[in-house]
Protein backbone atom coordinates (compact mmCIF):
# COMPACT_ATOMS: atom_id res chain seq x y z
CA UNK A 1 0.00 0.00 0.00
CA UNK A 2 1.34 3.51 -0.72
CA UNK A 3 2.20 5.50 2.39
CA UNK A 4 -0.50 7.23 4.40
CA UNK A 5 -0.09 10.77 5.71
CA UNK A 6 2.37 11.15 8.58
CA UNK A 7 -0.13 13.52 10.15
CA UNK A 8 -2.11 10.43 11.20
CA UNK A 9 0.61 9.72 13.78
CA UNK A 10 -0.02 13.05 15.49
CA UNK A 11 -3.37 12.12 17.04
CA UNK A 12 -5.15 8.99 18.31
CA UNK A 13 -8.56 7.78 17.14
CA UNK A 14 -11.35 8.83 19.47
CA UNK A 15 -11.31 6.40 22.41
CA UNK A 16 -15.00 7.03 23.01
CA UNK A 17 -15.80 5.91 19.47
CA UNK A 18 -13.78 2.70 19.96
CA UNK A 19 -15.61 1.77 23.21
CA UNK A 20 -18.91 2.39 21.49
CA UNK A 21 -17.84 0.19 18.56
CA UNK A 22 -16.77 -2.64 20.93
CA UNK A 23 -20.02 -2.48 22.92
CA UNK A 24 -22.02 -2.55 19.67
CA UNK A 25 -20.03 -5.55 18.39
CA UNK A 26 -20.64 -7.50 21.61
CA UNK A 27 -24.34 -6.66 21.37
CA UNK A 28 -24.41 -7.88 17.77
CA UNK A 29 -22.78 -11.13 18.94
CA UNK A 30 -25.79 -11.61 21.22
CA UNK A 31 -24.29 -10.37 24.54
CA UNK A 32 -26.63 -8.46 26.84
CA UNK A 33 -24.76 -5.15 27.19
CA UNK A 34 -25.99 -2.13 29.15
CA UNK A 35 -24.42 0.70 27.22
CA UNK A 36 -23.77 3.71 29.45
CA UNK A 37 -20.89 4.93 27.31
CA UNK A 38 -22.68 7.15 24.81
CA UNK A 39 -23.02 10.90 25.01
CA UNK A 40 -26.39 10.90 23.34
CA UNK A 41 -29.86 11.75 24.71
CA UNK A 42 -32.17 8.72 24.72
CA UNK A 43 -35.20 10.96 24.10
CA UNK A 44 -36.70 11.25 20.63
CA UNK A 45 -36.48 14.63 18.93
CA UNK A 46 -39.62 16.59 19.87
CA UNK A 47 -42.62 16.14 17.57
CA UNK A 48 -42.76 19.89 16.81
CA UNK A 49 -39.23 19.70 15.41
CA UNK A 50 -39.86 16.53 13.42
CA UNK A 51 -43.01 18.07 11.94
CA UNK A 52 -41.10 21.20 10.92
CA UNK A 53 -38.53 19.05 9.11
CA UNK A 54 -41.20 17.04 7.29
CA UNK A 55 -42.94 20.22 6.19
CA UNK A 56 -39.62 21.67 5.02
CA UNK A 57 -38.87 18.57 2.93
CA UNK A 58 -42.31 18.77 1.32
CA UNK A 59 -41.67 22.43 0.55
CA UNK A 60 -38.38 21.63 -1.21
CA UNK A 61 -35.68 21.80 1.50
CA UNK A 62 -33.75 19.02 -0.19
CA UNK A 63 -30.92 20.92 -1.83
CA UNK A 64 -27.65 22.64 -0.95
CA UNK A 65 -28.08 25.81 1.06
CA UNK A 66 -25.51 28.56 1.59
CA UNK A 67 -22.30 26.87 2.75
CA UNK A 68 -22.51 28.38 6.24
CA UNK A 69 -26.24 27.97 6.71
CA UNK A 70 -29.59 29.45 5.74
CA UNK A 71 -30.50 33.01 6.68
CA UNK A 72 -33.51 31.61 8.55
CA UNK A 73 -31.32 29.51 10.84
CA UNK A 74 -28.73 32.27 11.25
CA UNK A 75 -31.53 34.60 12.35
CA UNK A 76 -32.80 31.99 14.83
CA UNK A 77 -29.26 31.59 16.20
CA UNK A 78 -28.83 35.36 16.37
CA UNK A 79 -32.05 35.63 18.40
CA UNK A 80 -31.00 32.73 20.64
CA UNK A 81 -27.60 34.30 21.39
CA UNK A 82 -29.25 37.65 22.16
CA UNK A 83 -32.08 36.27 24.27
CA UNK A 84 -30.33 33.44 26.18
CA UNK A 85 -26.81 34.84 26.46
CA UNK A 86 -27.01 38.60 25.92
CA UNK A 87 -24.59 38.26 22.97
CA UNK A 88 -25.17 40.41 19.90
CA UNK A 89 -23.89 39.08 16.57
CA UNK A 90 -24.49 40.28 13.02
CA UNK A 91 -25.52 37.51 10.61
CA UNK A 92 -22.04 37.39 9.06
CA UNK A 93 -20.62 36.67 12.51
CA UNK A 94 -22.65 33.44 12.72
CA UNK A 95 -21.77 30.12 11.10
CA UNK A 96 -23.84 26.95 10.85
CA UNK A 97 -22.03 23.66 10.27
CA UNK A 98 -22.75 19.94 10.18
CA UNK A 99 -22.51 19.48 13.97
CA UNK A 100 -20.38 21.19 16.60
CA UNK A 101 -17.63 18.58 16.22
CA UNK A 102 -16.65 19.44 12.62
CA UNK A 103 -17.26 23.11 13.38
CA UNK A 104 -14.72 22.99 16.22
CA UNK A 105 -12.20 21.41 13.86
CA UNK A 106 -12.89 24.05 11.19
CA UNK A 107 -12.46 26.83 13.76
CA UNK A 108 -9.17 25.37 14.96
CA UNK A 109 -7.92 25.02 11.38
CA UNK A 110 -8.64 28.72 10.95
CA UNK A 111 -6.96 29.79 14.23
CA UNK A 112 -3.97 27.51 14.72
CA UNK A 113 -0.55 27.14 13.19
CA UNK A 114 1.68 24.10 13.69
CA UNK A 115 3.60 24.53 16.96
CA UNK A 116 0.98 26.72 18.65
CA UNK A 117 -0.03 25.80 22.19
CA UNK A 118 -3.64 25.35 23.26
CA UNK A 119 -4.61 25.28 26.92
CA UNK A 120 -7.28 22.71 27.69
CA UNK A 121 -8.53 22.14 31.23
CA UNK A 122 -8.73 18.42 31.97
CA UNK A 123 -10.71 16.20 32.29
CA UNK A 124 -11.68 17.19 28.75
CA UNK A 125 -13.71 15.88 25.85
CA UNK A 126 -11.45 13.69 23.76
CA UNK A 127 -11.95 15.60 20.49
CA UNK A 128 -10.74 18.94 21.87
CA UNK A 129 -7.09 17.82 22.10
CA UNK A 130 -7.65 15.51 19.13
CA UNK A 131 -8.50 18.41 16.81
CA UNK A 132 -5.64 20.51 18.22
CA UNK A 133 -3.15 17.73 17.40
CA UNK A 134 -4.71 17.25 13.98
CA UNK A 135 -3.85 20.91 13.29
CA UNK A 136 -0.20 20.28 14.27
CA UNK A 137 -0.61 22.37 17.43
CA UNK A 138 0.02 21.12 20.98
CA UNK A 139 -2.51 20.70 23.78
CA UNK A 140 -1.24 22.00 27.11
CA UNK A 141 -3.36 20.27 29.72
CA UNK A 142 -4.48 22.31 32.71
CA UNK A 143 -5.14 19.56 35.22
CA UNK A 144 -8.06 20.38 37.51
CA UNK A 145 -8.78 18.61 40.80
CA UNK A 146 -11.82 16.77 42.06
CA UNK A 147 -11.58 18.91 45.25
CA UNK A 148 -12.08 21.99 43.03
CA UNK A 149 -15.10 20.37 41.34
CA UNK A 150 -12.85 19.88 38.29
CA UNK A 151 -12.72 23.61 37.54
CA UNK A 152 -9.75 25.66 36.41
CA UNK A 153 -8.78 28.57 38.66
CA UNK A 154 -7.32 31.90 37.57
CA UNK A 155 -3.89 31.07 39.01
CA UNK A 156 -3.80 27.71 37.25
CA UNK A 157 -4.56 29.40 33.93
CA UNK A 158 -2.02 32.17 34.47
CA UNK A 159 0.71 29.61 35.22
CA UNK A 160 0.30 27.92 31.83
CA UNK A 161 0.24 31.03 29.65
CA UNK A 162 3.30 31.21 27.49
CA UNK A 163 4.36 33.23 24.40
CA UNK A 164 3.25 30.28 22.24
CA UNK A 165 -0.22 30.09 23.80
CA UNK A 166 -2.72 30.73 21.02
CA UNK A 167 -6.01 29.41 22.32
CA UNK A 168 -7.91 28.35 25.43
CA UNK A 169 -10.77 25.87 25.11
CA UNK A 170 -13.46 26.03 27.78
CA UNK A 171 -16.38 23.64 28.00
CA UNK A 172 -19.17 24.23 30.50
CA UNK A 173 -21.21 22.19 31.36
CA UNK A 174 -18.32 19.82 30.90
CA UNK A 175 -18.07 16.54 29.14
CA UNK A 176 -17.06 14.36 31.07
CA UNK A 177 -17.40 15.86 34.58
CA UNK A 178 -20.60 17.89 34.28
CA UNK A 179 -18.79 20.82 35.95
CA UNK A 180 -20.61 24.12 35.38
CA UNK A 181 -18.67 27.38 35.75
CA UNK A 182 -20.63 30.07 37.58
CA UNK A 183 -20.29 33.66 36.41
CA UNK A 184 -17.80 34.35 39.22
CA UNK A 185 -15.74 31.28 38.40
CA UNK A 186 -15.57 32.34 34.76
CA UNK A 187 -14.69 35.88 35.77
CA UNK A 188 -11.56 34.57 37.50
CA UNK A 189 -10.47 33.22 34.13
CA UNK A 190 -11.61 36.16 32.00
CA UNK A 191 -9.73 38.56 34.32
CA UNK A 192 -6.54 36.69 33.40
CA UNK A 193 -7.39 36.55 29.70
CA UNK A 194 -8.03 40.29 29.43
CA UNK A 195 -4.31 40.76 30.16
CA UNK A 196 -3.28 38.46 27.28
CA UNK A 197 -4.63 39.95 24.05
CA UNK A 198 -2.99 37.34 21.78
CA UNK A 199 -5.04 34.43 23.07
CA UNK A 200 -8.23 33.20 21.38
CA UNK A 201 -10.95 31.53 23.43
CA UNK A 202 -13.34 28.84 22.26
CA UNK A 203 -16.35 28.41 24.54
CA UNK A 204 -17.93 25.03 23.81
CA UNK A 205 -21.43 25.56 25.22
CA UNK A 206 -23.07 22.50 23.68
CA UNK A 207 -24.61 21.32 27.02
CA UNK A 208 -25.80 24.85 27.92
CA UNK A 209 -29.35 24.00 28.93
CA UNK A 210 -28.60 20.81 30.84
CA UNK A 211 -28.14 22.38 34.29
CA UNK A 212 -29.11 20.82 37.61
CA UNK A 213 -30.20 22.02 41.04
CA UNK A 214 -31.33 25.44 39.76
CA UNK A 215 -27.93 26.48 38.35
CA UNK A 216 -27.70 29.29 35.81
CA UNK A 217 -25.55 29.39 32.71
CA UNK A 218 -22.66 31.77 32.04
CA UNK A 219 -20.47 32.08 28.95
CA UNK A 220 -17.14 33.94 28.63
CA UNK A 221 -18.06 36.45 25.88
CA UNK A 222 -21.01 37.65 27.97
CA UNK A 223 -19.14 37.62 31.30
CA UNK A 224 -16.37 39.82 29.91
CA UNK A 225 -17.49 41.99 26.95
CA UNK A 226 -13.87 43.15 26.47
CA UNK A 227 -13.16 39.60 25.22
CA UNK A 228 -15.96 39.73 22.66
CA UNK A 229 -13.56 39.99 19.72
CA UNK A 230 -11.50 37.00 20.86
CA UNK A 231 -14.18 34.51 21.86
CA UNK A 232 -15.85 32.08 19.50
CA UNK A 233 -18.94 30.67 21.17
CA UNK A 234 -19.80 27.21 19.85
CA UNK A 235 -23.12 25.51 20.41
CA UNK A 236 -25.50 23.13 18.66
CA UNK A 237 -28.79 21.32 18.90
CA UNK A 238 -27.49 17.75 19.46
CA UNK A 239 -27.50 17.51 23.23
CA UNK A 240 -30.10 19.98 24.55
CA UNK A 241 -32.76 19.21 21.91
CA UNK A 242 -32.08 15.47 21.51
CA UNK A 243 -31.01 16.04 17.90
CA UNK A 244 -27.68 14.22 17.58
CA UNK A 245 -28.54 12.67 14.21
CA UNK A 246 -29.63 15.92 12.59
CA UNK A 247 -26.05 17.24 12.57
CA UNK A 248 -26.39 20.95 13.23
CA UNK A 249 -23.82 23.01 15.14
CA UNK A 250 -23.39 26.76 15.16
CA UNK A 251 -21.02 29.44 16.37
CA UNK A 252 -20.89 33.18 16.91
CA UNK A 253 -17.66 35.12 16.89
CA UNK A 254 -15.83 38.16 15.57
CA UNK A 255 -16.20 38.83 11.85
CA UNK A 256 -12.53 38.36 10.89
CA UNK A 257 -12.23 34.96 12.58
CA UNK A 258 -15.54 33.79 11.18
CA UNK A 259 -14.42 34.78 7.66
CA UNK A 260 -11.38 32.53 8.22
CA UNK A 261 -13.57 29.64 9.34
CA UNK A 262 -15.82 30.18 6.31
CA UNK A 263 -12.75 30.05 4.06
CA UNK A 264 -11.69 26.69 5.58
CA UNK A 265 -15.25 25.41 5.15
CA UNK A 266 -15.33 26.53 1.53
CA UNK A 267 -12.84 23.74 0.82
CA UNK A 268 -13.82 21.14 3.42
CA UNK A 269 -17.55 21.32 4.12
CA UNK A 270 -20.77 21.03 2.17
CA UNK A 271 -23.77 22.94 3.37
CA UNK A 272 -25.46 21.42 6.43
CA UNK A 273 -28.57 19.37 5.49
CA UNK A 274 -31.36 21.77 4.46
CA UNK A 275 -34.11 19.86 6.30
CA UNK A 276 -32.00 19.67 9.48
CA UNK A 277 -31.53 23.42 9.37
CA UNK A 278 -35.31 23.87 9.19
CA UNK A 279 -35.63 21.49 12.16
CA UNK A 280 -33.04 23.50 14.11
CA UNK A 281 -35.00 26.72 13.48
CA UNK A 282 -38.04 25.01 15.02
CA UNK A 283 -35.99 23.75 17.99
CA UNK A 284 -34.39 27.12 18.77
CA UNK A 285 -37.49 29.23 18.14
CA UNK A 286 -40.24 26.92 19.45
CA UNK A 287 -41.45 26.10 22.96
CA UNK A 288 -38.61 25.14 25.32
CA UNK A 289 -40.93 23.41 27.81
CA UNK A 290 -39.92 19.88 26.83
CA UNK A 291 -36.24 20.77 27.32
CA UNK A 292 -36.98 21.67 30.95
CA UNK A 293 -38.86 18.39 31.39
CA UNK A 294 -35.93 16.44 30.00
CA UNK A 295 -33.54 18.25 32.34
CA UNK A 296 -35.72 17.27 35.33
CA UNK A 297 -35.63 13.66 34.14
CA UNK A 298 -31.84 13.74 33.76
CA UNK A 299 -31.51 15.15 37.26
CA UNK A 300 -33.58 12.36 38.82
CA UNK A 301 -31.54 9.78 36.89
CA UNK A 302 -28.34 11.39 38.09
CA UNK A 303 -29.55 11.07 41.67
CA UNK A 304 -30.49 7.42 41.15
CA UNK A 305 -27.00 6.58 39.88
CA UNK A 306 -25.16 8.62 42.53
CA UNK A 307 -27.11 6.83 45.31
CA UNK A 308 -26.40 3.43 43.78
CA UNK A 309 -22.73 3.84 42.91
CA UNK A 310 -21.74 5.30 46.25
CA UNK A 311 -22.66 1.87 47.68
CA UNK A 312 -20.17 0.11 45.42
CA UNK A 313 -16.96 -0.85 47.24
CA UNK A 314 -14.07 1.24 45.86
CA UNK A 315 -16.17 3.87 44.01
CA UNK A 316 -16.91 7.47 44.93
CA UNK A 317 -18.98 9.98 42.98
CA UNK A 318 -20.40 13.45 43.59
CA UNK A 319 -23.55 14.64 41.79
CA UNK A 320 -22.67 16.42 38.56
CA UNK A 321 -23.76 20.04 38.06
CA UNK A 322 -24.86 19.68 34.44
CA UNK A 323 -24.69 17.69 31.14
CA UNK A 324 -25.66 14.00 31.49
CA UNK A 325 -22.48 12.48 32.80
CA UNK A 326 -21.00 11.32 36.07
CA UNK A 327 -17.24 11.12 36.44
CA UNK A 328 -16.72 8.35 38.95
CA UNK A 329 -13.58 8.04 41.06
CA UNK A 330 -12.36 4.43 41.03
CA UNK A 331 -9.08 4.89 42.93
CA UNK A 332 -10.35 2.38 45.51
CA UNK A 333 -10.40 -0.35 42.84
CA UNK A 334 -6.79 -0.07 41.70
CA UNK A 335 -4.55 -2.96 42.71
CA UNK A 336 -7.48 -5.37 43.16
CA UNK A 337 -7.65 -8.64 41.24
CA UNK A 338 -10.42 -9.96 39.01
CA UNK A 339 -11.71 -13.51 39.74
CA UNK A 340 -9.54 -14.77 36.86
CA UNK A 341 -6.40 -13.24 38.29
CA UNK A 342 -5.91 -9.96 36.37
CA UNK A 343 -4.76 -6.96 38.38
CA UNK A 344 -6.70 -3.73 37.80
CA UNK A 345 -4.00 -1.13 37.21
CA UNK A 346 -6.01 1.74 35.80
CA UNK A 347 -9.51 2.76 34.80
CA UNK A 348 -9.07 1.22 31.33
CA UNK A 349 -8.47 -2.22 32.95
CA UNK A 350 -11.51 -1.69 35.18
CA UNK A 351 -13.75 -0.60 32.32
CA UNK A 352 -12.65 -3.59 30.17
CA UNK A 353 -13.37 -5.94 33.08
CA UNK A 354 -16.84 -4.43 33.58
CA UNK A 355 -17.60 -4.72 29.87
CA UNK A 356 -16.27 -8.22 29.33
CA UNK A 357 -17.28 -9.89 32.62
CA UNK A 358 -20.36 -7.88 33.63
CA UNK A 359 -21.79 -6.52 30.37
CA UNK A 360 -21.77 -2.79 31.12
CA UNK A 361 -20.08 -0.27 28.81
CA UNK A 362 -18.45 2.87 30.27
CA UNK A 363 -15.60 5.13 29.13
CA UNK A 364 -12.23 5.08 30.96
CA UNK A 365 -10.83 8.34 32.31
CA UNK A 366 -7.79 8.12 30.04
CA UNK A 367 -10.08 9.10 27.13
CA UNK A 368 -10.49 12.42 28.96
CA UNK A 369 -6.86 12.77 30.10
CA UNK A 370 -7.77 11.87 33.71
CA UNK A 371 -7.30 8.74 35.78
CA UNK A 372 -8.43 6.87 37.87
CA UNK A 373 -11.98 7.74 36.85
CA UNK A 374 -14.59 6.51 34.42
CA UNK A 375 -17.44 8.34 32.72
CA UNK A 376 -20.99 7.08 32.99
CA UNK A 377 -23.68 8.61 30.78
CA UNK A 378 -27.08 8.74 32.45
CA UNK A 379 -28.81 9.58 29.18
CA UNK A 380 -30.49 6.16 29.45
CA UNK A 381 -33.74 4.79 30.88
CA UNK A 382 -34.12 4.24 34.65
CA UNK A 383 -34.35 0.53 33.91
CA UNK A 384 -31.01 0.52 32.04
CA UNK A 385 -29.40 2.65 34.74
CA UNK A 386 -30.62 0.41 37.57
CA UNK A 387 -29.44 -2.69 35.72
CA UNK A 388 -26.09 -1.06 34.85
CA UNK A 389 -25.49 0.08 38.44
CA UNK A 390 -26.29 -3.40 39.80
CA UNK A 391 -23.74 -4.85 37.40
CA UNK A 392 -21.11 -2.29 38.39
CA UNK A 393 -21.72 -3.00 42.10
CA UNK A 394 -21.48 -6.76 41.48
CA UNK A 395 -18.30 -6.17 39.45
CA UNK A 396 -16.74 -4.18 42.31
CA UNK A 397 -17.82 -6.69 44.95
CA UNK A 398 -16.33 -9.59 42.96
CA UNK A 399 -12.83 -8.10 42.98
CA UNK A 400 -10.36 -9.50 45.47
N1 LIG B 1 -18.62 19.36 22.27
C1 LIG B 1 -18.69 18.49 23.28
C2 LIG B 1 -18.14 18.88 24.61
C3 LIG B 1 -19.28 17.23 23.11
O1 LIG B 1 -19.35 16.38 24.13
C4 LIG B 1 -19.77 16.87 21.83
C5 LIG B 1 -20.32 15.54 21.56
O2 LIG B 1 -20.14 14.59 22.30
C6 LIG B 1 -19.68 17.82 20.81
C7 LIG B 1 -19.09 19.05 21.05
C8 LIG B 1 -20.16 17.51 19.41
O3 LIG B 1 -21.50 17.77 19.19
P1 LIG B 1 -22.18 17.56 17.77
O4 LIG B 1 -23.10 16.39 17.90
O5 LIG B 1 -22.93 18.83 17.49
O6 LIG B 1 -21.13 17.33 16.74
Amino acid sequence: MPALSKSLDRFPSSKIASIFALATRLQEEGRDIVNLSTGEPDFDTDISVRDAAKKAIDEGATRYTALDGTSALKRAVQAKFACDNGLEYELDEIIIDTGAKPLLAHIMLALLDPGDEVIIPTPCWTSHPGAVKFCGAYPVFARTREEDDFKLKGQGLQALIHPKTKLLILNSPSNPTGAVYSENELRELTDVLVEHPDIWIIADDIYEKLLFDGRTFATPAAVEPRLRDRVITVNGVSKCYAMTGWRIGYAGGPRGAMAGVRKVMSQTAGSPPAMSQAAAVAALSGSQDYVAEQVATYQSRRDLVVRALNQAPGLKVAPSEGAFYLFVNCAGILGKETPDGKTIQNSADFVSYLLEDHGVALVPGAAFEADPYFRLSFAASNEALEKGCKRIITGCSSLI
Side-chain angles (χ1 to χ4, degrees):
M1 174 171 99
L4 297 175
S5 164
K6 291 190 184 53
S7 70
L8 290 176
D9 299 334
R10 287 202 303 254
F11 61 96
S13 296
S14 164
K15 292 193 185 84
I16 304 180
S18 36
I19 294 278
F20 184 67
L22 178 60
T24 309
R25 182 168 62 72
L26 291 174
Q27 264 165 340
E28 281 165 7
E29 286 168 12
R31 289 276 310 273
D32 168 27
I33 304 290
V34 180
N35 193 347
L36 306 180
S37 73
T38 44
E40 171 162 50
D42 59 316
F43 299 108
D44 288 329
T45 303
D46 192 67
I47 184 76
S48 60
V49 175
R50 285 182 275 148
D51 283 346
K54 289 178 202 162
K55 183 161 173 279
I57 291 172
D58 289 341
E59 288 173 358
T62 55
R63 299 173 183 272
Y64 289 137
T65 68
L67 180 83
D68 62 341
T70 60
S71 310
L73 182 50
K74 285 188 194 168
R75 278 197 300 274
V77 167
Q78 184 182 45
K80 183 260 168 238
F81 273 134
C83 171
D84 291 356
N85 309 116
L87 292 174
E88 302 292 339
Y89 291 112
E90 298 298 328
L91 291 187
D92 63 352
E93 295 181 306
I94 290 171
I95 285 183
I96 316 295
D97 201 348
T98 316
K101 188 171 177 173
L103 180 51
L104 283 160
H106 292 142
I107 293 168
M108 289 190 224
L109 283 165
L111 300 183
L112 298 176
D113 283 311
D116 284 342
E117 292 187 1
V118 179
I119 299 178
I120 307 179
T122 62
C124 64
W125 180 47
T126 180
S127 294
H128 288 149
V132 168
K133 290 179 193 168
F134 174 78
C135 293
Y138 297 103
V140 173
F141 294 118
R143 305 204 184 273
T144 66
R145 303 182 316 158
E146 192 177 341
E147 305 85 276
D148 296 330
D149 300 324
F150 295 112
K151 290 178 202 170
L152 180 62
K153 305 275 190 189
Q155 271 183 341
L157 173 61
Q158 180 66 60
L160 292 175
I161 293 178
H162 188 266
K164 287 201 161 174
T165 308
K166 187 74 176 290
L167 170 68
L168 167 71
I169 303 177
L170 290 173
N171 169 221
S172 168
S174 148
N175 175 6
T177 64
V180 176
Y181 284 79
S182 68
E183 188 172 333
N184 283 342
E185 287 163 341
L186 272 186
R187 187 167 301 287
E188 246 196 68
L189 304 180
T190 58
D191 282 351
V192 173
L193 292 162
V194 164
E195 303 301 324
H196 296 278
D198 297 331
I199 300 179
W200 289 100
I201 299 110
I202 291 179
D204 181 345
D205 292 353
I206 191 107
Y207 297 95
E208 168 179 7
K209 292 179 190 291
L210 308 185
L211 302 169
F212 305 135
D213 309 311
R215 284 188 170 74
T216 50
F217 180 73
T219 193
V223 168
E224 179 46 88
R226 283 178 293 170
L227 292 180
R228 196 243 182 236
D229 285 343
R230 289 197 274 139
V231 181
I232 302 183
T233 304
V234 178
N235 210 321
V237 292
S238 290
K239 312 290 181 172
C240 299
Y241 296 97
M243 291 178 67
T244 44
W246 299 79
R247 308 310 305 133
I248 296 293
Y250 59 86
R255 184 167 289 114
M258 300 316 261
V261 178
R262 218 173 269 118
K263 185 172 181 189
V264 171
M265 287 172 63
S266 75
Q267 298 294 3
T268 58
S271 64
M275 59 295 277
S276 294
Q277 294 189 67
V281 171
L284 293 176
S285 318
S287 161
Q288 306 289 300
D289 292 352
Y290 66 90
V291 179
E293 283 163 25
Q294 291 175 3
V295 172
T297 305
Y298 286 135
Q299 184 172 318
S300 76
R301 291 168 172 180
R302 173 201 68 173
D303 294 341
L304 177 163
V305 177
V306 169
R307 269 195 308 275
L309 289 193
N310 278 325
Q311 292 165 28
L315 301 186
K316 194 167 66 100
V317 61
S320 45
E321 299 173 337
F324 37 61
Y325 305 111
L326 285 162
F327 206 51
V328 183
N329 182 323
C330 57
I333 297 290
L334 303 191
K336 294 197 178 187
E337 264 189 29
T338 65
D340 50 8
K342 287 186 211 135
T343 305
I344 306 278
Q345 280 171 345
N346 50 40
S347 66
D349 291 345
F350 183 49
V351 163
S352 304
Y353 158 72
L354 287 175
L355 180 56
E356 280 159 32
D357 292 19
H358 295 278
V360 53
L362 303 155
V363 186
F368 311 101
E369 308 294 335
D371 227 14
Y373 295 90
F374 63 83
R375 187 192 78 177
L376 178 149
S377 163
F378 51 83
S381 67
N382 280 11
E383 195 194 355
L385 292 170
E386 277 163 9
K387 194 165 158 187
C389 287
K390 267 198 199 132
R391 290 182 182 192
I392 296 171
I393 294 170
T394 310
C396 293
S397 311
S398 315
L399 293 170
I400 308 148

